[in-house]
Amino acid sequence: MTKGKVAVRMARTVVLVAIMLLAAACGGGGAAPKHAPTTTSAAPIDEFVAKTRTPDPGAVGIGLTNISLSRTDKSDRVTFGFTGTAVPGWAVHYVTQAVSNTNTQAVFPVTGQSIIEVLIREAANPFETGVPPYAGPLILTDPTLATVGEVRYASALRGVTQAFIGLSTPQRSFRVSAQTDPVRIVVEVDHK
């Protein structure tokens, strides 16, 4: 078979495939139903499962500057503020014990019925980047909060900042989001 015949056959095959796909998309060429049912479905979101995010490429050498607590009508918020402009990554999940990610594997005494571990990735190692270490309080509490009993800063080691959120309740659904200008990671824990 010559190159010209092969090219013609390939062109015909491409045209036939395109016609078949178009016919399938239009309902096979038959009359369209007068009222096509519209259905949408989404998988339910399990707000108890771990939340993770990959850091932005420029999130290297950032440092934790502050941790703050606040309350809305439906949730308590723990906000972690950072230097820099890129959003770090995170792994936020429930744990049965607050275990340090340092070589000591020390267990922190976190007050509460349930504990959320917060690991924020690509945070600075102050000895390598010159970013000052976190200098705020190691334990934060706010008696006006409904769900969050305390937040305990644990460490910043090998590019990971670790903290624990002790809930004064059994496990609640939670969300994690990033905000910029300045860069903040917000863990929001529902009251109910």
Side-chain angles (χ1 to χ4, degrees):
M1 199 179 289
T2 66
K3 287 184 183 180
K5 288 182 181 181
V6 170
V8 170
R9 276 197 177 174
M10 287 180 68
R12 284 183 188 163
T13 302
V14 169
V15 170
L16 287 173
V17 168
I19 290 171
M20 290 175 14
L21 289 172
L22 184 59
C26 294
K34 292 183 182 182
H35 299 288
T38 303
T39 59
T40 57
S41 65
I45 297 173
D46 184 350
E47 298 211 359
F48 291 90
V49 300
K51 314 300 189 270
T52 59
R53 180 188 189 278
T54 302
D56 289 350
V60 176
I62 63 173
L64 180 66
T65 57
N66 65 1
I67 303 171
S68 62
L69 306 174
S70 61
R71 177 185 172 136
T72 69
D73 290 341
K74 297 181 179 182
S75 63
D76 291 347
R77 290 182 179 161
V78 180
T79 302
F80 299 88
F82 285 86
T83 61
T85 57
V87 176
W90 59 73
V92 181
H93 52 270
Y94 279 100
V95 293
T96 56
Q97 277 190 314
V99 178
S100 171
N101 67 352
T102 64
N103 292 340
T104 65
Q105 297 282 301
V107 176
F108 290 98
V110 176
T111 303
Q113 294 182 35
S114 51
I115 303 169
I116 297 174
E117 180 180 34
V118 179
L119 299 169
I120 301 174
R121 300 184 327 214
E122 297 301 327
N125 178 340
F127 299 108
E128 294 174 7
T129 64
V131 174
Y134 173 68
L138 299 182
I139 300 173
L140 291 94
T141 61
D142 182 343
T144 66
L145 300 183
T147 306
V148 173
E150 75 174 28
V151 176
R152 181 178 288 267
Y153 170 81
S155 65
L157 181 68
R158 293 185 295 273
V160 177
T161 294
Q162 182 185 37
F164 296 97
I165 302 171
L167 304 185
S168 56
T169 64
Q171 291 185 359
R172 298 286 191 244
S173 60
F174 69 96
R175 288 159 301 288
V176 183
S177 61
Q179 298 176 3
T180 56
D181 200 22
V183 173
R184 301 175 308 283
I185 305 303
V186 179
V187 180
E188 190 172 8
V189 184
D190 290 344
H191 292 162
K192 295 182 183 183

